[in-house]
Amino acid sequence: MNQLGLPISLNSKMLLDNFIANSELVNLIHQLFQKKKASEIYVYGLTGQGKTHVLQGVVLKALEMDMNAIYIDCIDSFPEHLFDFIDQLNFISFDNVDLISSDNQETFFDLYNRVRQAGVVVLVSGSSLPADLTVMKDLKTRLSLAAVYKLEELNDELTMDVLNKQMSDRNLTIDSKIYEYLFKNYSRDLNTLVSAMNELDKASLQSKKAISIPFVKIVLQL
């Protein structure tokens, strides 16, 4: 799925409907869709806790509702024509602001102020509180005025729920013992686990074998 005027592709699996935990944040986002009220939200947390998921989920929901929305990864340079259609936007997500280059900070600050003035709902993600970011002072101050949410750390049960939902989208049922084995012997990081399950699913289709613990050991070389 492509966005308005941008070549960046979104992950269609990152939906608000399968975003686990963080109920207060999710409820606020749903209210914004209902009231169509301008707002600023800043979310932060460790890698694998769902920052990209929620930011892309908001954009996907907006596009589904025939609204104009875009997702920007601050690791990349900002498209020059982005300023041209700010007034057309309903939602905009800025991911990984903690990784923005020093050259792009002034551009981001200007863009952020313009989308606020235009009444666009803005979501920004970072690895820490705005005050702890290594960015220009004015940008820290501006981001600190947003509604700030720390993403909840996923325990094994919630991580299993996320993985189960992704697998059920593919009509796959995975024995909980597989996940328990991966938690103990492979990783508890959600992104790492999602990549592993993608690899296992692909290998399973190619070999026409079920995903079992012996199969996991072979494919992941454990």
Side-chain angles (χ1 to χ4, degrees), residues 76-129:
D76 304 319
S77 298
F78 295 103
E80 293 181 3
H81 65 284
L82 186 55
F83 288 89
D84 297 336
F85 51 77
I86 288 174
D87 291 340
Q88 302 175 41
L89 294 175
N90 301 105
F91 288 82
I92 186 166
S93 289
F94 294 105
D95 204 1
N96 299 309
V97 71
D98 52 302
L99 300 177
I100 191 171
S101 69
S102 55
D103 293 338
N104 284 336
Q105 290 179 31
E106 287 282 0
T107 302
F108 175 73
F109 185 67
D110 185 19
L111 181 59
Y112 189 88
N113 285 329
R114 291 197 192 188
V115 294
R116 287 182 65 253
Q117 291 169 4
V120 181
V121 176
V122 187
L123 291 96
V124 183
S125 84
S127 60
S128 63
L129 285 165

Side-chain angles (χ1 to χ4, degrees), residues 178-193:
I178 302 293
Y179 297 131
E180 291 168 0
Y181 175 81
L182 289 172
F183 295 158
K184 183 177 180 180
N185 299 282
Y186 190 65
S187 176
R188 281 185 162 83
D189 176 73
L190 182 57
N191 288 338
T192 303
L193 289 166

Side-chain angles (χ1 to χ4, degrees), residues 4-210:
L4 175 67
L6 293 179
I8 305 169
S9 295
L10 300 172
N11 185 340
S12 60
K13 302 296 184 184
M14 291 186 175
L15 303 174
L16 285 179
D17 290 343
N18 59 28
F19 183 64
I20 299 294
N22 304 282
S23 57
E24 184 179 352
L25 171 61
V26 173
N27 288 338
L28 171 60
I29 291 171
H30 283 303
Q31 289 174 18
L32 294 176
F33 278 102
Q34 294 168 4
K35 298 178 181 178
K36 298 181 180 179
K37 179 183 176 183
S39 186
E40 306 155 54
I41 299 173
Y42 180 92
V43 299
Y44 72 100
L46 301 175
T47 300
Q49 290 185 342
K51 298 188 295 293
T52 297
H53 189 149
V54 69
L55 265 64
Q56 289 205 9
V58 167
V59 172
L60 285 167
K61 182 175 179 65
L63 294 175
E64 182 184 341
M65 297 174 66
D66 293 324
M67 296 180 179
N68 291 328
I70 55 176
Y71 165 88
I72 300 289
D73 192 333
C74 292
I75 296 174
D76 304 319
S77 298
F78 295 103
E80 293 181 3
H81 65 284
L82 186 55
F83 288 89
D84 297 336
F85 51 77
I86 288 174
D87 291 340
Q88 302 175 41
L89 294 175
N90 301 105
F91 288 82
I92 186 166
S93 289
F94 294 105
D95 204 1
N96 299 309
V97 71
D98 52 302
L99 300 177
I100 191 171
S101 69
S102 55
D103 293 338
N104 284 336
Q105 290 179 31
E106 287 282 0
T107 302
F108 175 73
F109 185 67
D110 185 19
L111 181 59
Y112 189 88
N113 285 329
R114 291 197 192 188
V115 294
R116 287 182 65 253
Q117 291 169 4
V120 181
V121 176
V122 187
L123 291 96
V124 183
S125 84
S127 60
S128 63
L129 285 165
D132 296 329
L133 293 171
T134 54
V135 296
M136 52 189 264
K137 184 178 179 181
D138 287 346
L139 187 49
K140 289 184 183 184
T141 303
R142 177 59 67 201
L143 293 174
S144 296
L145 297 176
V148 178
Y149 288 86
K150 181 179 181 181
L151 296 184
E152 298 173 23
E153 294 186 30
L154 299 181
N155 57 27
D156 288 354
E157 183 178 353
L158 289 174
T159 300
M160 200 178 297
D161 285 345
V162 174
L163 295 170
N164 267 329
K165 286 193 175 185
Q166 294 208 10
M167 293 302 104
S168 65
D169 288 343
R170 308 178 194 185
N171 296 317
L172 286 175
T173 301
I174 306 296
D175 192 315
S176 61
K177 292 181 180 179
I178 302 293
Y179 297 131
E180 291 168 0
Y181 175 81
L182 289 172
F183 295 158
K184 183 177 180 180
N185 299 282
Y186 190 65
S187 176
R188 281 185 162 83
D189 176 73
L190 182 57
N191 288 338
T192 303
L193 289 166
V194 168
S195 296
M197 293 309 300
N198 289 338
E199 185 178 348
L200 290 167
D201 182 27
K202 183 178 179 180
S204 175
L205 289 172
Q206 290 176 341
S207 65
K208 297 182 180 179
K209 293 182 179 179

